[in-house]
């Protein structure tokens, strides 16, 4: 069985890699991190012009009609560059939610705008430090109005609209639904909040009777969210893999350059072991991500298991590589001037996106038990 990407997919990946190397170096990420900019506008505009925001949108809605595998290779390059753009929120999540659950009218209203870069989407689920559940979501929907608060919302200051997890009053898991809210309309207030990675701005959004409409059936929000997260976990794993590989090469390059006691520090066994361990975790994560990509692309029955395994392995690989990259750099790796911070910040941020590592480990165990019992 061939798990490799096709020549066309590799060509797309190379094109995106060259663009990001030219237009999104670490100094661009630093500029957004140190400023009030919501995202790197010129990088986002270039990605739109490359057509990658339209990659998975069907042609009848103005997209390119490509598949999940093309999205995965783009995601890996975005992670490698640590790009300061709202791609994950808008493409992995908002676009996918509209494709999966949107009505024909909702798809016609938003997908062409997403493809052309006129709109940026995000998803708003949490209402504080605790993970959202059917028991603690208070933001309500009734009579076409959304009322409540969401915090933190990734790319919430950049987004044009949000897919909001709302309470519609049902019992148990049926309490929740998804609603689309135009964030530029009246009744919406957005305030930037500080997170570990200011290159990806987050917001506290207050809905005060904001106009909205249900996305999918009432009471289906919780199961919709699980389906959406499984689909998004795979490209996000590729983004984490791209970041892990970049951190590993950054550590390798420094180890070959830095001298101590008349030798390259990379010649010492302790540094070699760090780099070897980074590589092993990276390749383990890549294997899991490739299987997840195959399940996502083919609509395989094992997608829930493959997505969870990909998510867990990629989170561990990026976390480890980002930390060991700083350690390899020694004291300078902890300074504000060092670029090592960008991958550490991004690894921490992505580890909590879509739910933390423990939540995904619980999902993996539960799904394996369910499969074995069947």
């Amino acid at each position: 069985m061939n798990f490799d990407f096709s020549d066309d997919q590799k060509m797309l990946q190379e094109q995106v890699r060259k663009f990001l190397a030219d237009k999104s170096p670490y100094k661009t990420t630093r500029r957004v991190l140190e400023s009030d900019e919501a995202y790197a506008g010129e990088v986002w505009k270039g990605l739109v012009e490359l057509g990658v925001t339209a990659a998975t949108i069907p042609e009848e809605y103005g997209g390119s009609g490509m598949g999940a595998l093309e999205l995965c290779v783009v995601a890996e390059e975005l992670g490698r560059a640590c790009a300061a753009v709202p791609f994950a929120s808008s493409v992995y999540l908002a676009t996918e939610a509209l494709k999966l659950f949107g009505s024909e009218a909702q798809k016609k209203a938003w997908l062409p705008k997403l493809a052309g870069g006129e709109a940026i989407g995000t998803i708003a689920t949490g209402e504080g430090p605790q993970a959202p559940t059917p028991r603690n979501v208070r933001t309500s929907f009734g009579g076409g109005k959304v009322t409540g608060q969401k915090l933190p919302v990734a790319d919430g200051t950049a987004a044009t609209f949000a897919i909001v997890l709302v309470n519609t009053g049902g019992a148990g898991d049926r309490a929740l639904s998804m609603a689309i809210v135009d964030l530029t309309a009246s009744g919406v207030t957005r305030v930037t909040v500080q997170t570990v990675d200011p290159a990806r701005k987050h917001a506290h959004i207050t809905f005060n009777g904001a106009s909205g409409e249900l996305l999918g059936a009432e009471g289906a929000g919780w199961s919709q969210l699980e389906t959406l997260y499984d689909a998004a976990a795979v490209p996000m794993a590729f983004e984490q893999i791209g970041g892990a590989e970049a951190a590993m090469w950054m550590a390798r390059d420094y180890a070959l350059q830095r001298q101590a006691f008349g030798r390259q520090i990379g010649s010492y066994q302790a540094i070699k072991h760090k780099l070897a361990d980074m590589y092993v975790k990276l390749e383990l994560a890549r294997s899991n991500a490739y299987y997840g990509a195959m399940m996502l692309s083919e609509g395989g029955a094992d997608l829930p298991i493959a997505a969870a395994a990909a998510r867990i392995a990629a989170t561990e690989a990026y976390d480890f590589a980002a930390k060991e990259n700083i350690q390899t750099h020694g004291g300078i790796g902890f300074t504000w001037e060092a670029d090592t911070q960008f991958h550490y910040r991004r690894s921490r941020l992505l580890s909590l996106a879509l739910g933390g590592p423990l939540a995904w480990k619980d999902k993996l165990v539960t799904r394996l038990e369910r499969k074995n019992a069947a």
Side-chain angles (χ1 to χ4, degrees):
M1 185 175 290
N2 181 13
F3 281 95
D4 200 6
F5 291 106
S6 70
D7 289 343
D8 286 346
Q9 288 156 356
K10 290 176 182 176
M11 191 180 301
L12 172 65
Q13 184 172 25
E14 185 63 24
Q15 188 179 20
V16 175
R17 183 180 298 188
K18 286 180 179 176
F19 169 78
L20 291 171
D22 182 38
K23 302 297 183 185
S24 185
Y26 289 131
K27 68 179 182 182
T28 301
T29 303
R30 180 182 293 277
R31 188 194 78 208
V32 177
L33 185 146
E34 293 179 342
S35 71
D36 293 332
E37 284 182 84
Y39 61 99
E42 75 282 14
V43 180
W44 182 252
K45 182 182 177 189
L47 291 170
V48 171
E49 290 172 351
L50 279 176
V52 295
T53 55
T56 61
I57 295 175
E59 292 180 7
E60 61 263 39
Y61 303 112
S64 306
M66 292 189 279
L69 298 182
E70 284 78 7
L71 179 60
C72 290
V73 298
V74 172
E76 184 172 348
E77 297 314 310
L78 289 163
R80 191 186 313 280
C82 217
V85 291
F87 196 88
S89 299
S90 192
V91 180
Y92 310 164
L93 291 165
T95 299
E96 196 63 25
L98 281 163
K99 285 167 53 188
L100 286 170
F101 315 121
S103 66
E104 189 60 24
Q106 289 167 338
K107 291 177 183 177
K108 285 181 176 176
W110 289 107
L111 289 179
K113 293 179 180 177
L114 287 164
E118 300 167 48
I120 295 172
T122 189
I123 187 163
T125 59
E127 299 181 0
Q130 73 280 8
T133 71
R135 292 173 295 283
N136 64 21
V137 171
R138 300 284 180 264
T139 299
S140 62
F141 177 87
K145 303 292 183 184
V146 176
T147 300
Q149 300 184 45
K150 291 294 181 182
L151 168 74
V153 180
D155 304 300
T157 54
T160 313
F161 72 94
I163 309 294
V164 185
L165 194 64
V166 292
N167 192 316
T168 43
D173 290 355
R174 301 287 298 174
L176 301 182
S177 305
M178 283 186 172
I180 303 178
V181 179
D182 185 343
L183 297 180
T184 65
S186 60
V188 178
T189 305
R190 293 185 273 183
V191 178
T192 301
V193 295
Q194 294 299 316
T195 67
V196 70
D197 185 5
R200 288 279 309 281
K201 297 291 191 298
H202 284 56
H204 178 181
I205 302 181
T206 302
F207 302 98
N208 186 13
S211 295
E213 57 181 82
L214 287 179
L215 181 74
E218 181 173 330
W222 190 241
S223 64
Q224 286 176 331
L225 186 66
E226 188 160 279
T227 301
L228 179 63
Y229 275 8
D230 284 346
V234 177
M236 190 162 285
F238 274 88
E239 184 173 340
Q240 291 171 301
I241 286 168
E245 190 168 50
M248 182 184 71
W249 290 131
M250 189 187 290
R252 190 281 310 264
D253 292 346
Y254 186 77
L256 293 176
Q257 167 203 334
R258 180 80 169 99
Q259 299 274 327
F261 304 107
R263 294 168 54 186
Q264 294 171 329
I265 63 169
S267 67
Y268 292 102
Q269 198 75 351
I271 300 296
K272 289 179 180 178
H273 284 170
K274 286 182 186 296
L275 295 170
D277 288 343
M278 283 189 232
Y279 182 76
V280 169
K281 288 183 181 292
L282 174 63
E283 291 307 304
L284 179 62
R286 195 184 296 281
S287 299
N288 279 289
Y290 273 42
Y291 184 58
M294 186 178 79
M295 288 294 104
L296 181 61
S297 176
E298 297 179 356
D302 271 352
L303 176 61
I305 293 172
R311 175 83 178 132
I312 293 165
T315 298
E316 290 183 356
Y318 198 11
D319 180 67
F320 184 80
K323 287 177 180 174
E324 292 299 333
N325 182 30
I326 292 175
Q327 293 293 334
T328 302
H329 278 72
I332 198 171
F334 290 83
T335 63
W336 184 259
E337 290 74 17
D339 291 339
T340 50
Q341 63 170 302
F342 302 132
H343 284 294
Y344 179 74
R345 291 176 183 276
R346 189 58 54 89
S347 71
R348 296 281 78 209
L349 184 74
L350 294 184
S351 74
L352 296 175
L354 313 181
L358 286 178
W360 282 97
K361 288 176 181 175
D362 282 345
K363 285 183 182 181
L364 180 59
V365 171
T366 302
R367 291 166 178 180
L368 285 170
E369 287 177 341
R370 197 178 296 155
K371 181 181 180 181
N372 291 335

